[in-house]
Amino acid sequence: MLFFLLFFSLSFVFAQNMPAVGILPFETTSGGVTSADAINLTNRVIEEFNSWGTLNVIQGETGAGFIIRGTLSRQGNNFVLAATTSDSSGRILNEYNEQARALNDISIPMFCAKAAERVPLPNYLLGTWQALITMPDGPVVCIIEFRADRTIRVERYDTWEHRQGNALRYEGFGTGTYTYTGFANRVITVNAQQVRVNAVVNINLTLEETLPDQTEVSQRGLNLAFNGDRSAFEIVNGLLPCGRNFDGPAVYHSAVLGFSQFRKIR
């Protein structure tokens, strides 16, 4: 069963269009660096991209939809790896660089994140996801489907309120829209901690049969962190609100209730 689930998850990602990215051997443009140094960094970049599992990496230009050209140089006390990403027509999409005092200290993950910033990676959100919050009077559930046309079907959206010792719960449903900007690796700061995230989404929902505060849910700039096989994700800088707790931490640790941890169910 575990093998089947892993195979299904990977097949889903590969079924989407994986961009073909061609990486040309990095060149040297100044003294203090060698062709062997440039080749070493080229290989490290290729290895990093291959580890993502969301790009078809090509060594060269043939068949590539996107092309990365880079140069390695020594500027003062720093080694600088500078590059451009262009499309197959030659139009430059972005320019970027990473530098450090030692070659091995150049951040290849950060370099690759910048390189792929405008490369359309697969949409990991496609499918149906479930979030569950365990409360003293039972679970609060969200089941939501993200579709390829950027629409949302909300199969279930529980809203909940606890006030003066009484709990209210409504099983809502509805529709919505979303935007998705995907990337493989990006580090942001959340509550003074660095967190690696994979996508940013905006979500707008119109719901029925919910508490009044949740008939319209609009959340922007939500950063998502997926697990390794894309079968679960967490909203690391926010939540989809679903209720209020007016009776303190004995009932729930927060005054606001919201969905933030989802697992894929279909």
Side-chain angles (χ1 to χ4, degrees), residues 5-63:
L5 291 174
L6 178 60
F7 177 79
F8 175 82
S9 176
L10 292 175
S11 296
F12 179 82
V13 172
F14 278 89
Q16 302 185 59
N17 292 326
M18 290 180 57
V21 176
I23 301 176
L24 301 185
F26 298 152
E27 300 178 348
T28 59
T29 60
S30 68
V33 292
T34 67
S35 58
D37 295 330
I39 291 172
N40 177 51
L41 288 180
T42 304
N43 291 335
R44 287 174 60 193
V45 167
I46 291 171
E47 181 179 2
E48 172 69 16
F49 275 137
N50 279 328
S51 73
W52 292 6
T54 54
L55 294 172
N56 180 15
V57 181
I58 299 171
Q59 297 185 45
E61 297 184 52
T62 305

Side-chain angles (χ1 to χ4, degrees), residues 15-198:
Q16 302 185 59
N17 292 326
M18 290 180 57
V21 176
I23 301 176
L24 301 185
F26 298 152
E27 300 178 348
T28 59
T29 60
S30 68
V33 292
T34 67
S35 58
D37 295 330
I39 291 172
N40 177 51
L41 288 180
T42 304
N43 291 335
R44 287 174 60 193
V45 167
I46 291 171
E47 181 179 2
E48 172 69 16
F49 275 137
N50 279 328
S51 73
W52 292 6
T54 54
L55 294 172
N56 180 15
V57 181
I58 299 171
Q59 297 185 45
E61 297 184 52
T62 305
F66 302 89
I67 301 166
I68 296 171
R69 295 179 172 86
T71 59
L72 178 64
S73 63
R74 184 74 181 265
Q75 299 179 14
N77 293 325
N78 288 334
F79 292 94
V80 179
L81 179 60
T84 63
T85 299
S86 59
D87 61 21
S88 57
S89 70
R91 179 171 62 98
I92 294 177
L93 303 178
N94 60 325
E95 303 179 47
Y96 43 91
N97 70 76
E98 281 293 312
Q99 54 185 295
R101 290 189 170 237
L103 276 173
N104 288 336
D105 291 337
I106 291 177
S107 175
I108 298 302
M110 187 60 68
F111 175 88
C112 290
K114 294 177 180 178
E117 191 171 48
R118 299 193 179 182
V119 175
L121 298 177
N123 184 351
Y124 304 145
L125 265 186
L126 298 183
T128 303
W129 305 79
Q130 176 177 288
L132 185 148
I133 305 171
T134 301
M135 302 302 295
D137 59 327
V140 179
V141 178
C142 175
I143 300 176
I144 186 169
E145 178 189 4
F146 294 91
R147 297 174 169 176
D149 62 359
R150 295 300 195 263
T151 62
I152 296 172
R153 183 179 73 91
V154 183
E155 183 176 324
R156 179 173 171 178
Y157 197 103
D158 290 356
T159 55
W160 179 94
E161 181 179 282
H162 205 281
R163 187 194 298 265
Q164 297 179 348
N166 297 313
L168 290 175
R169 181 195 315 273
Y170 294 88
E171 293 185 10
F173 60 92
T175 59
T177 60
Y178 73 102
T179 64
Y180 178 94
T181 303
F183 36 85
N185 288 297
R186 178 173 295 177
V187 176
I188 65 170
T189 301
V190 180
N191 297 326
Q193 294 185 338
Q194 288 194 319
V195 181
R196 190 174 298 278
V197 296
N198 308 103

